[in-house]
Amino acid sequence: MTDVWLERRLSKVTKRQQDHRDPFQRDRARILHSASFRRLQSKTQVMGSGQSDFYRTRLTHSLEAAQIGSGITSQLRCKHPELCNELFPNSDSLIETICLAHDIGHPPFGHGGEVALNYMMRDHGGFEGNGQTLRIVARLETFSEHFGMNLTRRTLLGLMKYPQLITSLSLDNKPTSISNFRQLKAEEWRPAKGLYSDDLDIIDWILEPLSRTDRTLFQSMRSEPILIQDKKNHNKTRFKSLDCSIMELADDIAYGIHDLEDAIVTNVVNRNDFEREVINKLQQINDPWLQEYSLTLTDKLFSEHHHLQKDAIGGLVNYLITAITLSDLNTQADINFAEPILRYNATLSIATAQVLKIFKDFVYNYVIKLTSLQRIEYRGQQIVMELFEALSSDPKRLLPSNSAKRWQQAIDNNTNSQRIIADYIAGMTDDYATRLYQSLFNAHGASDYQLG
């Protein structure tokens, strides 16, 4: 690994006595000790935060993703030892750091909060959780004065899940603005997945080591917008770095397999639906081990014996992790990356990718789309829009002092002051946003709390 990927924007880093950690171990520590990471404990993952002490939150999801990411790198080292010695540091701390941090930018109330902030920022650069993650770690967190956690360039590249500006990815024709927040249709205001124009200086610094050819290819978009239900969706980027590809697989496995466990144990999904939508489809995949394993999978997952559930979940996770391999993107006709950490990606085979998609689709259709959860998401969506409208009406009066100071600086510098309000709301937990809403709009709401 070249030293350029170990660089930090703020080169002067405090030297502590007898500190023998590598750069990525230091990055991991900064994530773990950050306020943004702690707040994930009260942010919705799939089931609503606060509904039960059993459900996974964004925090526990991130911890599981980090563990899976570590398992993936171990597998890759066994399968491609010489190549991985060149591509990876000696420890797993790089991938663990990226997995731990990948959801830090997600706002309160899950995708309901994301849609709400994107709508409120529709004329100010939009809002998207992954773009907010990069902004938090590279600008907003208070480890340094101006550069957030001041992470290494490679860690930041690994967090750059969609390496293009939202403004370049968004459809030209925006939906018509609504006259009443309650009329907002979430599917019409889902954001393009990308980065903020406000953070172009960060993006340029991260991508600085790349050749012009590599950067152009890395930031390229798919040729045509994807059609979803006969409607054009936003454009999407084509590529991710090696580290990001591992994080995305770890995230998908944690979502598709571990989050399913919540829904089964709490009786949100039933055996019949699982047999029809998962087991029957798994039986169609040409994989003898999977076909045999899936014969007893329903009984184990829906058993009253929790050790059988854990055994079944562990088997599925192991099946997916051990199927992951390194793919050389340059074998494709139109791809020729010079930078190795762009050239190689972690991938699943076609069959195992289908397996993971079956589980992800089931969680989406039978858990996330559940009416009771959609109503909670809708409520959160309303709270976020009402808060944004109130705070933007008189920011100097209603924002806490630190945010009000940043807002005034943005006004003085003629930069995007609305982004400061989005930053403040995006950093809230579900509970904090609810209490702030009550204090502003409920005569009997509590007001004895602080969030700077």
Side-chain angles (χ1 to χ4, degrees):
M1 190 192 315
T2 58
D3 289 343
V4 68
W5 294 110
L6 301 180
E7 291 176 354
R8 305 176 190 274
R9 289 190 80 189
L10 179 62
S11 57
K12 184 179 179 181
V13 177
T14 302
K15 299 292 184 182
R16 294 188 170 88
Q17 187 177 15
Q18 298 183 9
D19 186 351
H20 303 296
R21 294 174 298 171
D22 66 42
F24 304 116
Q25 288 174 318
R26 301 184 79 172
D27 284 356
R28 180 177 59 190
R30 294 176 191 187
I31 296 293
L32 284 169
H33 294 292
S34 68
S36 300
F37 184 73
R38 288 196 301 275
R39 288 177 185 139
L40 294 177
Q41 67 187 303
S42 189
K43 287 191 178 186
T44 294
Q45 170 59 16
V46 172
M47 318 295 280
S49 172
Q51 292 185 58
S52 168
D53 59 4
F54 176 83
Y55 298 153
R56 286 166 168 86
T57 64
R58 290 273 180 192
L59 180 66
T60 56
H61 163 78
S62 298
L63 293 170
E64 287 177 331
Q67 177 61 31
I68 294 170
S70 177
I72 293 171
T73 53
S74 295
Q75 281 295 317
L76 294 178
R77 283 196 180 97
C78 288
K79 292 180 179 179
H80 313 275
E82 293 183 5
L83 188 56
C84 285
N85 283 339
E86 298 177 9
L87 293 173
F88 291 116
N90 292 329
S91 71
D92 292 339
S93 51
L94 167 63
I95 300 303
E96 288 177 356
T97 299
I98 294 168
C99 291
L100 288 170
H102 81 281
D103 266 355
I104 272 179
H106 280 249
F109 308 113
H111 292 293
E114 184 178 51
V115 165
L117 282 174
N118 186 51
Y119 177 75
M120 301 307 289
M121 291 292 290
R122 63 194 180 280
D123 297 323
H124 305 282
F127 179 91
E128 198 270 330
N130 298 284
Q132 190 69 16
T133 292
L134 184 67
R135 181 171 174 81
I136 288 172
V137 300
R139 192 186 301 283
L140 300 181
E141 265 289 347
T142 56
F143 181 87
S144 68
E145 187 174 3
H146 302 295
F147 303 118
M149 298 181 193
N150 196 33
L151 304 178
T152 58
R153 182 184 264 120
R154 180 156 176 180
T155 296
L156 293 175
L157 181 69
L159 288 169
M160 194 180 280
K161 198 170 179 181
Y162 308 100
Q164 186 53 269
L165 300 180
I166 289 175
T167 50
S168 300
L169 294 164
S170 298
L171 288 176
D172 294 333
N173 298 324
K174 293 181 181 178
T176 304
S177 298
I178 55 174
S179 57
N180 188 304
F181 290 156
R182 294 183 182 181
Q183 302 301 313
L184 185 76
K185 291 182 172 59
E187 69 271 12
E188 294 182 357
W189 287 98
R190 298 198 183 280
K193 294 183 178 298
L195 307 170
Y196 304 145
S197 301
D198 300 315
D199 296 327
L200 191 56
D201 60 322
I202 298 171
I203 299 165
D204 287 341
W205 182 83
I206 296 171
L207 302 183
E208 186 179 298
L210 301 180
S211 68
R212 180 176 297 180
T213 301
D214 270 8
R215 174 165 179 170
T216 300
L217 181 60
F218 183 55
Q219 293 190 285
S220 62
M221 297 177 281
R222 297 177 184 178
S223 56
E224 291 291 334
I226 300 172
L227 289 175
I228 296 182
Q229 295 179 347
D230 299 324
K231 294 182 180 179
K232 276 189 176 180
N233 198 23
H234 298 296
N235 290 296
K236 277 198 167 185
T237 53
R238 296 175 65 193
F239 299 108
K240 296 173 175 63
S241 71
L242 167 62
D243 307 326
C244 188
S245 71
I246 295 173
M247 176 268 282
E248 187 171 46
L249 284 171
D251 184 23
D252 285 349
I253 292 170
Y255 165 79
I257 307 300
H258 284 300
D259 290 350
L260 172 64
E261 183 183 3
D262 282 1
I264 291 174
V265 173
T266 53
N267 298 315
V268 170
V269 296
N270 62 61
R271 291 177 60 105
N272 291 337
D273 289 339
F274 186 78
E275 279 281 338
R276 183 181 66 254
E277 299 297 331
V278 176
I279 300 301
N280 290 349
K281 293 178 181 179
L282 294 179
Q283 286 290 318
Q284 302 304 311
I285 294 175
N286 185 21
D287 184 327
W289 181 91
L290 180 69
Q291 290 179 352
E292 181 179 355
Y293 192 79
S294 60
L295 291 175
T296 59
L297 185 58
T298 303
D299 287 338
K300 287 183 177 180
L301 287 178
F302 288 85
S303 170
E304 295 180 357
H305 303 291
H306 293 307
H307 69 279
L308 294 178
Q309 294 174 339
K310 288 295 183 184
D311 181 62
I313 292 291
L316 288 171
V317 171
N318 182 72
Y319 167 77
L320 292 168
I321 289 177
T322 54
I324 294 170
T325 188
L326 280 181
S327 296
D328 184 351
L329 302 185
N330 284 4
T331 58
Q332 301 177 41
D334 63 335
I335 302 174
N336 187 25
F337 281 118
E339 172 54 58
I341 57 176
L342 300 185
R343 174 178 175 175
Y344 294 97
N345 269 195
T347 59
L348 285 166
S349 67
I350 293 176
T352 48
Q354 289 176 333
V355 172
L356 183 53
K357 186 177 186 301
I358 288 169
F359 282 99
K360 287 174 60 182
D361 287 349
F362 182 74
V363 172
Y364 180 77
N365 291 317
Y366 285 85
V367 183
I368 290 178
K369 298 300 289 182
L370 200 67
T371 300
S372 59
L373 294 184
Q374 285 298 306
R375 286 175 175 172
I376 294 171
E377 191 173 286
Y378 174 84
R379 182 182 66 191
Q381 179 180 303
Q382 301 304 307
I383 289 173
V384 168
M385 288 189 289
E386 294 277 6
L387 287 178
F388 195 104
E389 183 180 54
L391 295 171
S392 61
S393 70
D394 197 346
K396 292 178 69 175
R397 178 187 180 195
L398 298 176
L399 287 174
S401 57
N402 288 343
S403 295
K405 182 180 179 181
R406 291 181 56 234
W407 180 86
Q408 187 61 55
Q409 289 172 341
I411 293 292
D412 295 341
N413 296 329
N414 198 29
T415 55
N416 189 359
S417 60
Q418 296 297 91
R419 180 66 64 196
I420 309 305
I421 299 172
D423 288 341
Y424 177 54
I425 296 175
M428 296 178 183
T429 64
D430 297 12
D431 292 340
Y432 181 90
T434 300
R435 294 199 308 272
L436 179 57
Y437 177 87
Q438 291 172 343
S439 77
L440 289 173
F441 302 112
N442 185 335
H444 302 289
S447 59
D448 56 339
Y449 58 93
Q450 295 290 325
L451 179 62

